[in-house]
Amino acid sequence: MMSGMRKAGQSWLGRIVVAVLFGFLILSFGVWGIGDMLRTSGQTNVAHVGSTQISAQAYRDAYQNEIQQLSRRIRRAVTNDEARAVGLDRQVLSKMMTEATLDDRVKAYGLAISDATIAKAIFADPTFKGANGQFDRNAFNDAIRNQGFTEQGFVRAQRAVYLRQQLADTIGGNAPVPGVLREAVHRYQNETRTVSFVAIGADKAGEVAAPDAATLQAFFDGQKTAFRAPEYRKVTLMTLSPADVAKPDQVSDGETQAFYDRNKSRYGAPEKRSVQQIVFPTADDAKAASERIKSGTGFDAIAQERNIPAQDLDLGLVTKDAIIDPKVADAAFALPANAVSEPVEGRFGFVLVRVGEIQPETVKPLAEVSAEIKTEIARGRARDAVQDVHDKIEDQRASAKPLADIARDVKLNARQVEVDRAGRDKAGKPVDIADREAVLKSAFASDVGVDNEAVSTRDGGYVWFEINGIEAGRERKLDEVKAEVEAAWKADEIGNRIAAKASDAVKKINGGMALEAVATELGVEVKTAKDVKRQGAAGGLSQPAVAQVFATPVGKAASALGANPQERLVIRVDGAEVPPLIATQQSVVQLDEQIRLAIGDDMLNVYVQKMQQEIGTGVNDAVLRQAIGGGQF
């Protein structure tokens, strides 16, 4: 619903419109003005919006659900402190208060939705469809159970979602798209530039003699922290994972077959087709073109007559779900190879579809993936066994037994490592540690003799650790790192010399000297990069160089960092081109839809802010802190 609209707007506008125009979207927790909510609600509620109360339990459930989802995305357990550090607590409360605001207005306006409409929407949801494309009761039950819903609770939640959507569509739906904004975004996305450039590398810096003692000492004194010896810790680690207790040989062939049948899509590739399309503004135009094709006119000839750009004509070799328009997708995947469809009334106009190459769906046979499936099933079952071993270990830790002794009793491996905060040993090599980041963070927050909590790993296991010793970080003396300092000084000197040469070259070019003449002086080759766009490195240009290309006027020169700190590029912008913006192109229609969604979301944000000011809001900070286990909001 609204969050989907916001996601669509931010993922696109965050990269484009903000860079071109202004901060177009208002951050949700800024809009809702949580920092200004001074009134408190009841002792069991974290907040209120008008007469709607947000209970501590409801907030706690929502907050923990978000932590679990975040943990699954990054594939490791997220602590409460980490979640608060990234503002997850504020975001969850902001979302709940936004929903409460919309629910309050839905009730005030008397909006309603029938049971039949809710049922129809649920039956049509692709999330709940099986392999045959029909509603699958088992898939539905599994999905809502994973979200913590009963069937009745899910239906109630969906009713609220659809009613909020009704209100959101009324406020921000079908917003007009300003032509200036469309033009600006089109230019930002599609402008291309042609560039001539030369690369000045370390070989052009000349002979760099070794520095004298005073120079080296001064360089070292100015960068002592870069050569500081890190803190090292001796840590005993004991790891328990599902793989340690899983028993794949105990999984039957029948269970393996059933798992394979339920998850066939995981063991193959879906059908792909080479698809082209021509979009027409009217049904008559599409029908006339279709008749001409049937009479012998080529599909490509029709496309050329209509000046269809290559990016709009060819969708590439794609799966069905990669085609945005469902009707176009259905038509494309119903055609035989090298055939053209009848006119299709799609989202963006009337379409003729041509299919070229067809790559059939491929699925690995059960025999090929049987071992993998048995291991997965066994590891899933092993979670209970892992918990049993975990409990036995904790019982022994309660008696202050060392990890090494516990490891022998439970037949696990305990080992001692010596690492810095980055997980490297004293030779600078990375040390193999399960869930390295989480374990190191906990280990460097502990101390010798402290009884530490086990760290939960992303595979459902645990890592126990003991701090056996701490070697404090310290500043090194020059004699200890002289070779490193000399190498750093030399690299810095080379970088400075190359930067000076690049700066001098830019001055000459902007003063009227040809780039080619400057290249001859430097003894380097002139290269050309065409069709350079703002996104990413291109044509031998680094990302910093691409950014500099679009910050430099046509006909002027500038310098930028090359592929490494010891390379500089001198660039001359030879030309810039923005393709015409044709309103009937599918890419432009999609662009308008993206802008429209973003504007609508912005309008909805402003509406929610205004409503919250009118109906009143409040947050009980004390209850909030208790709900999330302490800390500041």
Side-chain angles (χ1 to χ4, degrees):
M1 192 208 71
M2 180 184 61
S3 61
M5 293 172 64
R6 183 174 296 115
K7 182 178 180 182
Q10 288 178 340
S11 63
W12 171 75
L13 253 71
R15 297 193 308 270
I16 301 171
V17 177
V18 173
V20 179
L21 300 174
F22 50 85
F24 191 64
L25 293 178
I26 304 171
L27 292 176
S28 58
F29 52 83
V31 169
W32 315 149
I34 289 177
D36 296 328
M37 298 173 185
L38 302 178
R39 289 175 288 170
T40 60
S41 51
Q43 293 304 307
T44 60
N45 298 315
V46 297
H48 73 83
V49 178
S51 60
T52 302
Q53 302 290 338
I54 299 175
S55 71
Q57 185 61 51
Y59 173 74
R60 186 182 299 111
D61 291 345
Y63 178 62
Q64 291 301 324
N65 182 56
E66 289 294 330
I67 288 180
Q68 291 170 11
Q69 290 188 32
L70 179 59
S71 297
R72 284 193 290 269
R73 285 197 298 273
I74 67 174
R75 301 186 66 186
R76 74 166 179 83
V78 176
T79 67
N80 199 22
D81 288 341
E82 289 174 323
R84 288 202 303 267
V86 298
L88 190 63
D89 50 353
R90 296 185 291 273
Q91 295 171 34
V92 170
L93 183 59
S94 169
K95 178 183 176 183
M96 296 182 75
M97 295 184 74
T98 299
E99 292 176 348
T101 304
L102 295 176
D103 290 343
D104 181 275
R105 294 296 87 193
V106 163
K107 183 177 179 180
Y109 299 150
L111 300 182
I113 191 169
S114 69
D115 292 340
T117 302
I118 290 290
K120 183 178 179 181
I122 291 174
F123 274 96
D125 193 324
T127 306
F128 309 134
K129 291 183 178 180
N132 61 359
Q134 302 299 313
F135 178 79
D136 186 320
R137 165 62 66 173
N138 291 329
F140 173 74
N141 289 337
D142 289 344
I144 66 174
R145 183 168 55 250
N146 290 338
Q147 295 179 51
F149 283 112
T150 63
E151 183 173 325
Q152 295 79 6
F154 179 76
V155 171
R156 283 196 303 271
Q158 288 300 101
R159 185 184 303 277
V161 167
Y162 290 127
L163 288 172
R164 292 179 203 131
Q165 182 66 64
Q166 284 187 9
L167 180 56
D169 288 345
T170 301
I171 295 165
N174 202 30
V177 177
V180 172
L181 179 57
R182 181 195 295 115
E183 290 279 354
V185 176
H186 172 72
R187 172 179 288 275
Y188 186 88
Q189 287 182 319
N190 299 303
E191 179 184 0
T192 60
R193 294 198 168 195
T194 300
V195 181
S196 297
F197 67 96
V198 297
I200 307 175
D203 59 317
K204 302 302 177 182
E207 184 67 29
V208 180
D212 58 38
T215 299
L216 192 64
Q217 184 67 54
F219 180 81
F220 175 71
D221 290 342
Q223 302 191 41
K224 277 187 177 181
T225 55
F227 303 101
R228 181 180 173 85
E231 176 183 331
Y232 288 95
R233 294 196 170 202
K234 291 181 179 178
V235 186
T236 296
L237 300 170
M238 181 176 69
T239 303
L240 170 65
S241 73
D244 295 323
V245 295
K247 298 178 180 178
D249 57 328
Q250 294 183 5
V251 178
S252 71
D253 291 339
E255 292 170 314
T256 306
Q257 180 72 58
F259 186 94
Y260 176 77
D261 291 339
R262 290 196 307 271
N263 300 278
K264 271 191 176 180
S265 61
R266 292 170 53 182
Y267 304 108
E271 179 182 351
K272 288 185 177 181
R273 294 185 169 214
S274 178
V275 180
Q276 293 179 310
Q277 65 173 11
I278 302 176
V279 182
F280 299 86
T282 68
D284 290 342
D285 289 342
K287 185 176 180 181
S290 178
E291 293 300 326
R292 290 179 61 196
I293 290 172
K294 291 175 183 177
S295 299
T297 303
F299 187 88
D300 291 330
I302 299 291
Q304 289 175 1
E305 288 177 8
R306 304 190 67 83
N307 294 318
I308 306 297
Q311 67 267 26
D312 289 336
L313 175 68
D314 195 349
L315 301 183
L317 187 65
V318 294
T319 59
K320 186 175 182 179
D321 59 6
I323 300 176
I324 296 173
D325 193 321
K327 291 185 178 179
V328 173
D330 290 341
F333 278 76
L335 290 170
N338 303 312
V340 178
S341 72
E342 294 292 328
V344 177
E345 185 177 357
R347 286 182 178 177
F348 309 108
F350 296 87
V351 183
L352 291 183
V353 179
R354 179 169 70 176
V355 171
E357 177 189 359
I358 297 178
Q359 292 184 356
E361 176 187 33
T362 59
V363 179
K364 294 179 182 178
L366 174 60
E368 190 174 332
V369 295
S370 176
E372 175 187 340
I373 291 174
K374 288 187 176 185
T375 298
E376 183 170 349
I377 294 174
R379 288 187 177 182
R381 290 177 178 172
R383 292 190 184 97
D384 291 339
V386 165
Q387 196 59 45
D388 290 341
V389 177
H390 168 274
D391 294 343
K392 291 177 183 177
I393 292 172
E394 289 299 323
D395 288 342
Q396 295 197 48
R397 290 184 69 227
S399 62
K401 198 171 185 179
L403 282 184
D405 295 342
I406 296 174
R408 284 193 293 270
D409 290 344
V410 297
K411 296 181 173 55
L412 292 176
N413 178 46
R415 62 193 177 104
Q416 187 179 85
V417 298
E418 188 170 18
V419 293
D420 62 14
R421 290 180 184 270
R424 296 185 296 262
D425 62 19
K426 288 193 172 182
K429 297 179 179 179
V431 177
D432 182 24
I433 301 173
D435 279 328
R436 175 199 305 260
E437 183 179 340
V439 171
L440 290 173
K441 182 174 182 179
S442 297
F444 276 82
S446 185
D447 208 339
V448 176
V450 173
D451 185 20
N452 305 293
E453 292 290 331
V455 177
S456 299
T457 60
R458 58 176 174 262
D459 65 353
Y462 298 91
V463 176
W464 287 267
F465 67 92
E466 292 175 345
I467 308 301
N468 307 122
I470 299 175
E471 182 180 315
R474 62 179 179 83
E475 286 190 355
R476 292 185 174 117
K477 295 179 180 180
L478 176 57
D479 290 344
E480 296 179 74
V481 288
K482 187 175 182 180
E484 296 174 40
V485 176
E486 284 184 347
W489 177 88
K490 183 176 180 180
D492 191 61
E493 179 66 16
I494 290 172
N496 290 337
R497 291 187 185 185
I498 292 171
K501 284 181 176 291
S503 179
D504 181 60
V506 168
K507 289 180 181 177
K508 289 179 179 179
I509 296 168
N510 287 335
M513 190 173 181
L515 172 62
E516 292 73 14
V518 171
T520 300
E521 282 187 359
L522 292 170
V524 295
E525 177 189 359
V526 177
K527 299 179 181 180
T528 301
K530 297 181 179 180
D531 298 326
V532 179
K533 286 192 171 185
R534 283 183 170 85
Q535 294 79 26
L541 300 173
S542 63
Q543 179 56 54
V546 171
Q548 187 61 57
V549 165
F550 283 88
T552 303
V554 174
K556 293 295 184 180
S559 70
L561 189 66
N564 58 69
Q566 294 187 0
E567 180 183 74
R568 284 276 172 171
L569 302 183
V570 175
I571 59 175
R572 183 187 66 202
V573 181
D574 297 328
E577 183 177 349
V578 179
L581 196 157
I582 302 173
T584 58
Q585 289 180 354
Q586 182 173 352
S587 59
V588 177
V589 175
Q590 291 172 324
L591 176 62
D592 279 0
E593 184 63 18
Q594 290 174 320
I595 296 175
R596 186 175 292 109
L597 286 173
I599 293 174
D601 196 44
D602 193 43
M603 293 169 64
L604 185 61
N605 285 346
V606 175
Y607 170 81
V608 170
Q609 181 185 31
K610 178 65 174 176
M611 290 301 99
Q612 288 185 344
Q613 291 173 352
E614 289 186 5
I615 64 180
T617 59
V619 175
N620 189 321
D621 289 325
V623 176
L624 178 67
R625 285 193 294 271
Q626 292 174 2
I628 60 177
Q632 296 296 318
F633 180 68

